[in-house]
Amino acid sequence: AQSVTQPDIHITVSEGASLELRCNYSYGATPYLFWYVQSPGQGLQLLLKYFSGDTLVQGIKGFEAEFKRSQSSFNLRKPSVHWSDAAEYFCAVGASTTGNQFYFGTGTSLTVIP
Amino acid sequence: EAQVTQNPRYLITVTGKKLTVTCSQNMNHEYMSWYRQDPGLGLRQIYYSMNVEVTDKGDVPEGYKVSRKEKRNFPLILESPSPNQTSLYFCASSSTWGRVPYGYTFGSGTRLTVV
């Protein structure tokens, strides 16, 4: 069965520190991978996506993610976190071989300490 | 402005009373989907639609119905709501790449409470 795992339920970092949020997937086919962010009381916003090509993808708000097929991972990174980055982050995966379904991880909540 | 509009934002209802949550998008997207969000479970897909008159079940379709009579609208219907359907609901739309949603635009959400 297809699945997306975000091992960290909650992460706390200091403002200005680097950030890495983990995402692992289990998929039989080549996956399409996404990161979304949800600010409190808001809907989700797309940060970045990987469909093909360069395995290091750049997104909005200074985020990047790297697809590592050998590790089945798509970790999200940011070199210097800002207080406004505090939010819930969701990794997601889709593939046309799954009957066009689309799966989200359970999310990682990020707290930023001043 | 490109957007997905859901209504209502908040709804409290009683068990068994039929309700409809509306969803409309103005981006001419073919793909639309409904999700529910529950603490610790992330977002789970209820139904999705690849195009007009084409709908399919997601992971948690029981107790829900949808229709796609027009490209822009994708209402979610709860024929007989139960308390376990208390949740935060999101509608989303997207263009597609290889039949996969290329990047969702989400509505603002509907907070449903069934008592």
Side-chain angles (χ1 to χ4, degrees):
Chain A
Q2 298 81 8
S3 68
V4 182
T5 303
Q6 293 181 247
D8 304 304
I9 296 173
H10 186 241
I11 284 182
T12 300
V13 299
S14 298
E15 192 168 16
S18 63
L19 172 70
E20 182 169 27
L21 302 181
R22 296 183 291 165
C23 173
N24 294 97
Y25 65 89
S26 171
Y27 239 59
T30 299
Y32 303 135
L33 297 158
F34 307 77
W35 276 99
Y36 285 83
V37 60
Q38 183 180 30
S39 298
Q42 303 295 315
L44 282 76
Q45 180 184 23
L46 178 66
L47 281 176
L48 49 78
K49 57 181 176 277
Y50 170 79
F51 272 64
S52 64
D54 192 345
T55 56
L56 182 64
V57 295
Q58 304 296 321
I60 62 171
K61 305 185 181 188
F63 286 92
E64 67 177 26
E66 186 171 12
F67 171 52
K68 293 186 177 180
R69 186 186 300 273
S70 61
Q71 299 177 20
S72 298
S73 69
F74 189 58
N75 294 346
L76 182 71
R77 301 192 294 250
K78 187 169 185 178
S80 178
V81 171
H82 187 263
W83 63 267
S84 61
D85 293 324
E88 188 93 17
Y89 291 82
F90 292 93
C91 181
V93 60
S96 60
T97 58
T98 63
N100 308 309
Q101 290 189 48
F102 191 88
Y103 297 92
F104 282 88
T106 52
T108 297
S109 177
L110 175 66
T111 297
V112 180
I113 298 173
Chain B
E1 178 188 356
Q3 60 184 358
V4 175
T5 304
Q6 279 179 245
N7 281 298
R9 287 292 306 274
Y10 301 91
L11 179 59
I12 301 174
T13 191
V14 297
T15 299
K17 184 177 181 181
K18 181 179 178 180
L19 65 91
T20 299
V21 184
T22 64
C23 174
S24 181
Q25 52 99 358
N26 63 1
M27 295 162 282
N28 202 36
H29 286 160
E30 291 183 341
Y31 190 105
M32 297 187 74
S33 186
W34 277 102
Y35 287 87
R36 60 178 290 173
Q37 184 177 20
D38 302 287
L41 297 178
L43 284 88
R44 294 178 292 168
Q45 192 174 43
I46 303 171
Y47 271 94
Y48 62 95
S49 170
M50 293 295 295
N51 213 327
V52 175
E53 303 291 2
V54 180
T55 62
D56 212 340
K57 297 177 180 179
D59 284 330
V60 290
E62 295 77 20
Y64 305 95
K65 286 177 57 178
V66 293
S67 68
R68 188 91 181 272
K69 293 184 171 58
E70 304 167 283
K71 196 171 188 178
R72 63 184 293 122
N73 295 324
F74 191 47
L76 180 69
I77 303 158
L78 284 72
E79 295 270 2
S80 183
S82 62
N84 65 11
Q85 293 178 297
T86 293
S87 187
L88 178 60
Y89 292 86
F90 287 102
C91 180
S93 74
S94 179
S95 55
T96 58
W97 176 289
R99 299 166 63 85
V100 174
Y102 193 60
Y104 278 126
T105 299
F106 279 84
S108 299
T110 296
R111 174 76 65 182
L112 173 64
T113 301
V114 183
V115 298

